[in-house]
Amino acid sequence: MNPATMTVVLTGASGGIGTALAHVLVQAGARVVLVGRRAAPLTALAAELSGARAARVVALAADVTRADDRQQLAQVATEHGVNVLINNAGTPCFGALDTQDDALIARVLLTNLVAPMQLTRALLPQLRVRPQARVLNVGSALGRLGLPGYAIYGASKFGLRGFSEALRRELAGSPVRVQYLGPRATHTAFNDAQVDAYHRATGAQVDEPAVVARAALALLTSHAAERFIGFPEALAVRVNGLAPAWLDGAFGKHAAAVRTATSPAAACAAGASSI
């Protein structure tokens, strides 16, 4: 799909990956509807992006977990002829499972899994009538590789990947192609000091948001179903998909890093962002 033909609804647009994605998309010639919960950063981003491309950028403050806001988004999508939905908004969560509570589990699953499913359903009639359309779900390598400390977050991303796979097959033969992007750890405000310490303790490689944004654009312009970013993560997710138990013994240092974390629930307290 040619970026110049894309009119994109981008959720989580004011987060680290979202902002980088907005820049990459606009620079490639796409029109973008920036979506996020807070109006001020969206307006600032729209002003930064606009310049000579003012007609290519729209800012819309909306919470994708709210039915009324999703309905408003569907109306905007129809008005602007949207043919690409990027489900990028998300809520972080790191820490041992027994430090979390029921309300947190519900919030993470609602934002990271249920809301993208509901928003996709709301926009699907509009996407179906376009000559070409895309749904890109920005997930995580943790959507195919379970790590200690990420039981809740990983479950939400495993679900998002499963949704992407099933819907892709359901819509085969239609103009709508469903894709899944699995970044590894990314350097954004999504991560607090405890997560950064976990990355150092486990030797995790951390990408800049621009790396993820470029990978997202490359995926959108391709016919690929999914893409995982970085080595060895891209290999590990494949091995894990074939024989998950083979890797069970490989994450001892990850489990130890979770046990030494203090106040792990703090990493689950941030607002909507993206990874």
Side-chain angles (χ1 to χ4, degrees), residues 19 23 33 36 42 45 76 110 114 125 129 134 161 187 202 217 255:
T19 297
H23 278 276
V33 179
L42 288 178
L45 178 59
V76 170
L110 174 62
V114 178
V129 301
R134 293 282 192 274
R161 183 183 169 274
H187 186 254
T202 59
L217 182 61

Side-chain angles (χ1 to χ4, degrees), residues 73-136:
L73 263 172
Q75 292 171 348
V76 170
T78 300
E79 292 167 4
H80 288 272
V82 164
N83 57 7
V84 178
L85 168 62
I86 302 180
N87 286 309
N88 173 66
T91 292
C93 190
F94 168 77
L97 179 62
D98 57 6
T99 67
Q100 319 305 338
D101 59 32
D102 290 348
L104 170 66
I105 294 172
R107 177 159 54 87
V108 172
L109 292 175
L110 174 62
T111 306
N112 295 0
L113 176 57
V114 178
M117 295 168 69
Q118 292 172 325
L119 183 58
T120 301
R121 183 181 66 83
L123 269 60
L124 195 53
Q126 165 64 25
L127 297 174
R128 282 182 180 273
V129 301
R130 311 309 300 173
Q132 291 187 79
R134 293 282 192 274
V135 175
L136 173 58

Side-chain angles (χ1 to χ4, degrees), residues 222-248:
S222 77
H223 293 287
E226 60 182 23
R227 179 176 178 180
F228 292 89
I229 301 173
F231 182 85
E233 290 82 0
L235 174 61
V237 298
R238 302 301 178 188
V239 173
N240 194 69
L242 292 171
W246 286 1
L247 296 182
D248 282 356

